[in-house]
Amino acid sequence: MHSSAVFLIEFGAIILALGLLGRFAGRFQFSPIPLYLLAGLAFGKGGLLPLGTSEEFVAIGAEIGVILLLLMLGLEYTASDLVSNLKTQYPAGLVDFTLNALPGAGMALLLGWGPVAAVVLAGVTWISSSGVIAKVMGDLGRLGNRETPVILSILVLEDLAMAVYLPIITALLAGVSLAAGSATLAIALGVAGLVLFLAVRFGRVISRFVSSDDPEKLLLVVLGLTLLVAGIAQQLQVSAAVGAFLVGIALSGEVAEGAHSLLSPLRDLFAAVFFVFFGLHTDPASIPPVILPALALAVVTAGTKIATGYWAARRAGISVKGRWRAGGTLVARGEFSIVIAGLAVTAGIEPSLGPLATAYVLVLVIVGPLTARYTEPIATFLTGRGRKQQMPEVLKPGLIPAQPQAMDAMDDSGTVGRP
Amino acid sequence: MPVPRVSRTPLPGIGVRYDLTTREHRRLSVIAHRDGARTLNAYRRDDPDECALSVKLTGGETEALIDALMPSHHSPNLLSTTDLGLVAERIELSSISHWNGRVLGDTRMRTETGVSIVAVLRRAGAIPSPGPDFRLAGGDTLIVIGTREGVEAAAAILGRE
């Protein structure tokens, strides 16, 4: 039993450390996620300065962190976004799944961890980090690029796939029988489909029910509703996170905007707690043995993500350079890999899975922004398509109408090279 | 003069992108972020898929830019202009305005400047053709019509604190 004073001191110290780490990350323009994970490793069992912070509170905080992460993700999208993306982009989603989930599953089977761990690791390597990627594209000034909608649609499909994947994982980890598992999955799919349908049809009505001019009431209503639905979803064995995601989808328009700005700080706080919690549960001593598989997996799945992006962008009629950019941008993995691994860690399957996922995400969350930046120049250099041979590239079908080359030659006010 | 076509591309999770291709085949796009910010992009000539310029603007900066882009632009409160040398403008009274609580007749607006005050906008709506005994309040927006010089003079009078 800890006295509340000790708890306050320890928890305060952790949050303060996270804040300072976040500032440090901001100075170097990279995602704070790896630092939060490292902080968790440092404060956890076998770390540099183990803290005995009230486990229960941090565990609940982590749970809320996952719920808020998924709620905010749902708020980002409207139901019609999801449906239209699913209709037009499903081949890209399938390629993405095949190329990126299978290496993870293969690695788990190679290490002899069994089928359940294989399904978990498949999820860890499959889902890109939409948070990191959106930020990187903004920083690189690529939000307006033509390959950006392709990248975003793959992210949307992955997030939608999470709504199906998480209930499967939850059922598998709970060790339910095949029959019960199928029933759970059917319920999950049914509920997800129903929510999507209701959100497309009656999104306005739902939003009106939640809507409030007063930020305080809006915050309480949205947060209460989300936690309630998440709890019910958990009770139905569907996974709390999916419940929260569907609430986010169902809310649209002004309510979504308002909730988004109100809940962002809460999400940041609890998501940070979640990453720390995950780190706390990982013994740093268990990482060195899994470094090699993690690196191998990172290299392979960085390659497969680049291939995925390349393929999807080619399908959308983007030029070769844009294809490489799309591929390089998709490499980053982050919060959702940790969310998936976290489910497995709390369920207590394969003890090495947590450390492997930690090492894997640490590598790719740092490498991802770099591949986003440099894949295209390197690929252009290697394939020998320098500027001299640009012309045929520009004239390929599928691009926007090519500019009259003669005019280009006459006009010297164009932007050639990077500013 | 054909009307330029603007196409619209949704960017799930970010906002909407509006594209414009100019007569000279240069592409421009504006991303409307969901939080009200805007990103203005211009594309490279040698790689039309990639931005050469990408500038993020806040709501206020966007308004200032739109204003500068408006044809026959003179001041930030232009409603419309005619070829007859008359302009219509919106002039806002500050909350610490000299005229707060005074009646419209006190401003001697028409005598001094020759402009007409055609309406006053308040939160509840518009009051058309306010008379000389109309009582002004801080925060009102007056719509005035007159010559360019007259409107400038009216703005100076109404700007008294």
Side-chain angles (χ1 to χ4, degrees):
Chain A
M1 266 316 281
H2 270 279
S3 69
S4 75
V6 173
F7 164 71
L8 285 177
I9 290 170
E10 290 193 341
F11 192 63
I14 290 184
I15 298 283
L16 180 63
L18 292 183
L20 296 175
L21 286 171
R23 284 180 59 174
F24 179 76
R27 178 158 305 173
F28 291 98
Q29 294 266 324
F30 64 87
S31 159
I33 294 173
L35 291 179
Y36 294 164
L37 284 173
L38 290 173
L41 286 176
F43 294 137
K45 302 182 189 79
L48 299 173
L49 53 158
L51 297 177
T53 313
S54 160
E55 282 285 318
E56 277 167 36
F57 177 81
V58 176
I60 295 281
E63 185 85 28
I64 293 177
V66 174
I67 288 170
L68 287 178
L69 268 175
L70 269 288
L71 169 71
M72 299 299 267
L73 191 66
L75 288 175
E76 296 277 353
Y77 305 129
T78 61
S80 52
D81 271 348
L82 295 178
V83 175
S84 66
N85 258 300
L86 193 59
K87 276 183 189 160
T88 54
Q89 299 290 342
Y90 70 91
L94 287 176
V95 169
D96 181 36
F97 169 77
T98 313
L99 285 181
N100 298 293
L102 296 184
M107 177 60 84
L109 293 175
L110 269 181
L111 293 168
W113 289 356
V116 175
V119 177
V120 173
L121 203 54
V124 171
T125 56
W126 172 23
I127 308 287
S128 291
S129 163
S130 32
V132 173
I133 288 172
K135 189 176 177 316
V136 165
M137 288 198 299
D139 291 347
L140 293 176
R142 290 191 188 166
L143 287 177
N145 285 17
R146 273 183 76 242
E147 73 270 6
T148 298
V150 177
I151 295 168
L152 292 174
S153 67
I154 286 183
L155 295 178
V156 172
L157 286 176
E158 285 181 357
D159 296 336
L160 192 55
M162 291 267 280
V164 179
Y165 171 83
L166 284 175
I168 297 178
I169 282 284
T170 318
L172 281 176
L173 291 173
V176 293
S177 65
L178 190 62
S182 313
T184 305
L185 189 59
I187 291 174
L189 285 178
V191 170
L194 183 71
V195 169
L196 275 183
F197 172 78
L198 289 177
V200 173
R201 270 294 151 87
F202 305 109
R204 252 186 247 137
V205 180
I206 300 169
S207 297
R208 199 176 308 149
F209 163 74
V210 174
S211 179
S212 161
D213 288 340
D214 183 10
E216 186 187 349
K217 296 187 185 66
L218 180 67
L219 175 71
L220 293 177
V221 168
V222 173
L223 194 58
L225 182 70
T226 307
L227 294 177
L228 183 70
V229 171
I232 292 172
Q234 190 78 309
Q235 203 66 30
L236 290 174
Q237 294 267 333
V238 174
S239 139
V242 172
F245 179 67
L246 292 175
V247 171
I249 297 291
L251 297 176
S252 61
E254 265 179 43
V255 176
E257 291 295 318
H260 200 277
S261 54
L262 283 172
L263 289 165
S264 283
L266 267 183
R267 188 260 325 257
D268 294 342
L269 169 65
F270 283 109
V273 169
F274 165 72
F275 293 124
V276 170
F277 172 77
F278 187 82
L280 286 176
H281 274 254
T282 308
D283 183 354
S286 61
I287 287 189
V290 293
I291 284 266
L292 278 179
L295 277 177
L297 205 51
V299 170
V300 170
T301 55
T304 52
K305 268 292 177 196
I306 291 175
T308 305
Y310 189 95
W311 186 89
R314 194 183 67 182
R315 189 171 163 264
I318 310 288
S319 73
V320 172
K321 282 187 165 189
R323 294 175 204 169
W324 288 116
R325 280 196 299 268
T329 306
L330 281 167
V331 168
R333 312 292 203 285
E335 60 272 38
F336 296 110
S337 302
I338 296 293
V339 167
I340 292 164
L343 289 173
V345 169
T346 41
I349 65 162
E350 183 55 44
S352 307
L353 203 147
L356 177 68
T358 308
Y360 173 81
V361 169
L362 281 177
V363 172
L364 282 188
V365 81
I366 293 166
V367 170
L370 298 175
T371 56
R373 173 75 183 77
Y374 295 109
T375 303
E376 180 250 314
I378 292 171
T380 307
F381 176 77
L382 289 180
T383 48
R385 292 175 198 263
R387 288 198 188 290
K388 288 170 195 154
Q389 292 167 38
Q390 267 279 310
M391 296 305 173
E393 207 47 62
V394 175
L395 291 171
K396 271 196 179 162
L399 284 178
I400 46 167
Q403 317 161 1
Q405 297 300 329
M407 229 177 74
D408 253 13
M410 301 280 288
D411 191 328
D412 59 353
S413 65
T415 43
V416 177
R418 286 177 192 283
Chain B
M1 194 58 203
V3 179
R5 211 173 55 81
V6 174
S7 66
R8 194 170 168 285
T9 312
L11 298 178
I14 292 177
V16 183
R17 190 182 80 210
Y18 299 98
D19 289 285
L20 173 74
T21 305
T22 67
R23 267 182 322 164
E24 295 175 338
H25 300 284
R26 295 305 305 267
R27 283 184 62 228
L28 290 170
S29 75
V30 172
I31 295 170
H33 294 263
R34 298 174 28 179
D35 59 4
R38 296 283 185 273
T39 306
L40 178 69
N41 304 297
Y43 292 81
R44 295 168 58 130
R45 275 176 179 251
D46 58 345
D47 180 1
D49 290 352
E50 193 183 5
C51 299
L53 161 117
S54 179
V55 186
K56 196 163 184 178
L57 304 165
T58 63
E61 289 161 349
T62 309
E63 274 178 32
L65 181 66
I66 291 172
D67 225 65
L69 290 170
M70 286 298 260
S72 58
H73 158 94
H74 288 291
S75 99
N77 290 327
L78 226 53
L79 281 180
S80 63
T81 57
T82 65
D83 300 335
L84 304 171
L86 286 180
V87 293
E89 278 207 9
R90 315 163 70 122
I91 300 175
E92 192 172 344
L93 285 186
S94 71
S95 51
I96 49 169
S97 169
H98 171 76
W99 306 109
N100 185 3
R102 289 187 161 78
V103 294
L104 193 53
D106 293 354
T107 62
R108 300 174 44 83
M109 185 71 68
R110 189 170 303 209
T111 321
E112 299 281 340
T113 67
V115 303
S116 296
I117 296 175
V118 292
V120 175
L121 306 180
R122 269 196 192 154
R123 256 189 316 174
I127 300 107
S129 317
D133 51 359
F134 177 84
R135 203 165 284 286
L136 294 164
D140 282 353
T141 300
L142 281 68
I143 298 195
V144 301
I145 292 189
T147 59
R148 164 57 46 199
E149 298 75 24
V151 169
E152 297 287 351
I157 291 174
L158 290 169
R160 278 179 59 190
E161 289 178 353

